[in-house]
Amino acid sequence: MFDFKITDSKPKKQTEGGLYDIVIIGGGPAGLTTAIYTARDGMKTLILDRETTGGLAATTELIENYPGFPQGISGMDLMDRIRQQAERFGTEIIEFEEVRAVVPVEEGLIEVHTEGDQVFQGKTVVIATGSEPKKLGIPGEDELYGKGVSYCATCDGPLFKGKDVVIIGAGNSGLQEGIPVLEYANHVTFLEFLAYSRAEQILQDRVRAHEKSTLIFNHRVIEIKGERAVTGVSAIDRETNEEKFFPADGVFIYVGYSPYTAFVRDLVDLNKWGYIQTDELMRTKVPGLYAIGDVRADNPAQMTVSVGDGTKAALAIREYLQNL
Amino acid sequence: MTLLNDEIVQNVKDMLAEIPNEVTLTVFTDDQNCEYCTEIVQLVNEVAATSEKVTVEQYEIHKDNDRAQALNIERAPAIAITGERDYGLRFYGIPSGYEFSTLLHSIQAASSGNTDLDDQVKSFLSDLNKPVNLQVFVTPTCPYCPRAAVLAMEMAIVSDLVNADVIESAEFPDLANQYNVMGVPLSVVNNQERIEGAAPPHMVVDAIRKALAA
Ligand SMILES: Cc1cc2nc3c(=O)[nH]c(=O)nc-3n(C[C@H](O)[C@H](O)[C@H](O)COP(=O)(O)OP(=O)(O)OC[C@H]3O[C@@H](n4cnc5c(N)ncnc54)[C@H](O)[C@@H]3O)c2cc1C
């Protein structure tokens, strides 16, 4: 019943500095994959991450559709392995260093400016910043964050042992992350805006089959209630227009993701949702500047796609640097 | 049945192969009310078996109250991780899941007395003149929690005035309720300043400053 994991528990900050062949912004699956290729190829590679490396993938409890792990693997374990693989070939990594601006200086030199007022120089730069959970923007959401409202069921789920939980959003993320919560919570109610779930059938079947779950469709959540702690969620039944109250101690929000691209808004082409447009070689319109993974337009948010993007960028960069 | 599988045992052996000084894991159990005390005792013994520098002492919190008081331990299950000195490293609950990493890093740190903190942070900590208690609430499934826990423990290594209690929230619901823990990691400085999430060292330094100024 217990499992024991060994992960790297210290912030990474070692760097040589100087001019890098590649500076990668974001150490999720996409960025780390590029690094595996470029560092292994002998190119000087740096990854900057605003948090710890691992990206969104590290916060998911169990990944079942990544090839090579027939029993599935925890997101953190998988990301730990991928990071070790990148480091093995000499990738330098700095964590807790948020990039604020990307400044193309001339062909073959792009500057990356961070919140900590550091400037890193790369011959090429890769944007692999992924996305962050969307907020609902309703009363109570910010006020009760950390007081029962959470965006990470893997992290905070165990705090609601024997308690009632509402999960807002019954798409892939909501169902997938809600399933482990069913193991310890008293009851889990899934509230979905749409009249159906867009999640994979296998996830829907698992949730429906569980005796502690209720799936409720066609409801618009309007407020998270509570003073010192969450007491429940108010939602409107979109069919009857009736307001209903769902008592809960914990509320997990899984209503989609929006890309981290504000810092390059004026530099590259974004689609109307803010995702970066590239060509099939992952190139943005700025020479030497690439975008990969969840942050790229028209990508399904999946690990294998991000990893594939990472590879494509690495190969394109090799060619670009050879011709520079 | 062992708790640690062969692969993990080998990794632990590698991690502890070069620790310089002896480390004692002092475990406190509770005969009256303790869900995982058997497992925690078994776990520390399995860890200790991987390195001749690590030894285990075992006490019952009520029967060996003197010992518990001497180590400032008020609840069980608890593990005090001590090296040549008692740096004030405590783990409450069973260090399973990702928290197993925290236990291993605390053994390494208590053995060497060294940390990876940068000089600015070290000098801030060395200049402290009032006690600082860091409580870090964690869960075993939280991937970012070891970051917060290990940081607190490293701070405790640098300064004798700092001690670090890492608390498995689900095993101590009363304490988690008292501090209104609804998200992890949560670090609490001197019972007042709260830091949510795996914060970088300078944020914890700021919180310590605030707590001491209050
Ligand atoms: C709950 C959940 C469950 C999922 N389950 C699955 C699954 O089962 N299978 C699957 O294939 N996929 C799954 N996914 C999707 C998968 O996690 C993503 O597709 C993948 O993580 C995208 O990788 P990425 O590298 O593009 O971005 P991310 O993983 O988001 O990584 C981006 C990184 O960039 C960093 N960053 C952002 N902005 C900056 C900045 N300005 N400066 C520096 N660093 C920055 C972030 O901190 C982050 O570490 C799941 C996602 C979620 C949220």
Side-chain angles (χ1 to χ4, degrees):
Chain A
M1 90 180 243
F2 289 108
D3 71 335
F4 298 92
K5 301 182 203 285
I6 302 181
T7 69
D8 202 27
S9 317
K10 292 182 188 179
K12 310 210 154 271
K13 55 189 175 190
Q14 68 279 31
T15 50
E16 289 177 6
L19 177 63
Y20 288 88
D21 291 314
I22 299 122
V23 176
I24 299 166
I25 310 169
L32 286 168
T33 301
T34 299
I36 291 173
Y37 275 81
T38 57
R40 184 163 176 272
D41 227 6
M43 297 184 233
K44 194 168 152 66
T45 305
L46 172 70
I47 293 185
L48 301 169
D49 202 297
R50 68 199 286 269
E51 291 172 14
T52 58
T53 51
L56 268 187
T59 66
T60 176
E61 179 115 355
L62 184 68
I63 296 186
E64 288 190 311
N65 50 14
Y66 193 81
F69 299 92
Q71 303 306 318
I73 179 166
S74 94
M76 186 71 177
D77 287 353
L78 179 58
M79 293 317 300
D80 253 351
R81 288 170 190 241
I82 296 179
R83 179 185 43 73
Q84 283 170 24
Q85 201 171 346
E87 284 184 315
R88 180 179 150 214
F89 298 115
T91 304
E92 297 174 41
I93 297 178
I94 308 183
E95 297 183 320
F96 295 118
E97 194 72 63
E98 176 164 356
V99 172
R100 280 296 168 83
V102 174
V103 184
V105 181
E106 57 190 34
E107 181 90 27
L109 178 62
I110 301 177
E111 282 180 0
V112 172
H113 296 242
T114 69
E115 189 187 37
D117 281 335
Q118 294 214 61
V119 179
F120 297 92
Q121 297 183 320
K123 293 180 193 164
T124 62
V125 169
V126 177
I127 303 165
T129 45
S131 50
E132 62 182 332
K134 260 192 207 151
K135 291 190 168 183
L136 283 163
I138 55 172
E141 187 178 17
D142 286 343
E143 296 85 340
L144 292 164
Y145 177 72
K147 301 190 174 99
V149 172
S150 166
Y151 302 86
C152 181
T154 306
C155 311
D156 302 330
L159 300 169
F160 300 95
K161 194 171 162 185
K163 300 197 171 158
D164 290 327
V165 167
V166 165
I167 293 187
I168 304 177
N172 272 326
S173 308
L175 295 192
Q176 182 170 322
E177 302 312 299
I179 289 168
V181 179
L182 282 164
E183 296 310 314
Y184 24 75
N186 175 54
H187 192 88
V188 180
T189 305
F190 295 84
L191 287 179
E192 168 61 48
F193 178 82
L194 298 173
Y196 55 93
S197 169
R198 281 200 289 219
E200 296 164 343
Q201 195 58 44
I202 184 171
L203 295 175
Q204 295 192 41
D205 293 345
R206 282 185 202 161
V207 168
R208 278 183 222 276
H210 204 287
E211 73 271 354
K212 288 198 282 185
S213 77
T214 314
L215 263 165
I216 295 175
F217 294 103
N218 224 1
H219 277 62
R220 181 165 55 91
V221 177
I222 53 167
E223 185 175 355
I224 299 170
K225 303 233 177 191
E227 294 281 333
R228 209 172 148 252
V230 166
T231 54
V233 165
S234 291
I236 306 269
D237 183 333
R238 293 170 66 212
E239 202 169 27
T240 61
N241 254 333
E242 185 192 343
E243 181 173 337
K244 292 183 195 158
F245 182 70
F246 300 89
D249 306 290
V251 175
F252 294 96
I253 302 177
Y254 285 97
V255 292
Y257 295 84
S258 49
Y260 274 117
T261 49
F263 68 107
V264 287
R265 198 173 30 210
D266 301 324
L267 198 60
V268 298
D269 290 327
L270 303 181
N271 73 7
K272 68 175 170 188
W273 296 283
Y275 291 87
I276 300 174
Q277 267 154 346
T278 72
D279 66 8
E280 71 280 10
L281 295 178
M282 312 292 113
R283 296 183 292 204
T284 67
K285 68 176 187 195
V286 179
L289 183 62
Y290 300 74
I292 56 174
D294 278 8
V295 85
R296 199 164 73 84
D298 306 321
N299 256 357
Q302 289 296 307
M303 285 271 310
T304 47
V305 174
S306 297
V307 162
D309 273 11
T311 308
K312 288 187 203 168
L315 300 181
I317 285 170
R318 183 202 288 160
E319 181 144 347
Y320 174 80
L321 289 177
Q322 275 164 358
N323 296 326
L324 199 65
Chain B
M1 259 274 286
T2 59
L3 288 170
L4 303 177
N5 66 31
D6 293 348
E7 191 191 336
I8 296 271
V9 168
Q10 192 51 50
N11 290 339
V12 175
K13 272 193 185 141
D14 293 345
M15 279 182 78
L16 303 183
E18 277 162 29
I19 57 171
N21 301 307
E22 312 234 315
V23 172
T24 308
L25 303 176
T26 310
V27 195
F28 288 86
T29 59
D30 182 339
D31 284 351
Q32 282 144 38
N33 172 21
C34 181
E35 205 177 345
Y36 300 129
C37 277
T38 321
E39 288 85 356
I40 202 170
V41 169
Q42 186 183 341
L43 177 67
V44 290
N45 280 297
E46 286 183 28
V47 170
T50 65
S51 163
E52 49 191 37
K53 295 236 169 64
V54 181
T55 48
V56 174
E57 290 181 20
Q58 185 185 336
Y59 300 99
E60 203 282 332
I61 192 154
H62 306 289
K63 288 189 201 128
D64 306 302
N65 191 250
D66 292 354
R67 197 67 205 125
Q69 275 183 354
L71 285 168
N72 235 327
I73 285 186
E74 289 170 4
R75 50 182 65 80
I79 308 169
I81 303 107
T82 52
E84 287 190 310
R85 294 213 308 275
D86 178 8
Y87 295 101
L89 313 185
R90 308 286 183 267
F91 195 101
Y92 292 93
I94 181 161
S96 71
Y98 293 113
E99 288 311 311
F100 188 55
S101 296
T102 302
L103 176 70
L104 297 179
H105 281 106
S106 70
I107 295 173
Q108 288 178 321
S111 172
S112 69
N114 285 334
T115 72
D116 286 346
L117 295 173
D118 60 37
D119 293 343
Q120 254 182 320
V121 175
K122 279 188 192 154
S123 84
F124 167 80
L125 294 168
S126 311
D127 291 346
L128 288 172
N129 50 25
K130 285 186 211 154
V132 172
N133 169 242
L134 301 174
Q135 287 172 297
V136 184
F137 290 90
V138 299
T139 61
T141 51
C142 159
Y144 298 120
C145 286
R147 294 298 176 106
V150 170
L151 176 58
M153 287 191 163
E154 292 211 318
M155 290 185 158
I157 296 274
V158 176
S159 165
D160 284 342
L161 285 168
V162 180
N163 70 312
D165 297 331
V166 179
I167 302 148
E168 207 285 87
S169 314
E171 271 178 76
F172 295 96
D174 296 348
L175 208 55
N177 271 342
Q178 183 189 329
Y179 286 92
N180 206 15
V181 183
M182 300 265 190
V184 287
L186 171 74
S187 307
V188 181
V189 185
N190 286 358
N191 288 326
Q192 33 183 333
E193 284 304 314
R194 296 163 70 95
I195 311 158
E196 278 160 16
H202 70 87
M203 274 178 69
V204 180
V205 165
D206 287 347
I208 295 176
R209 263 203 199 101
K210 267 201 206 148
L212 292 181

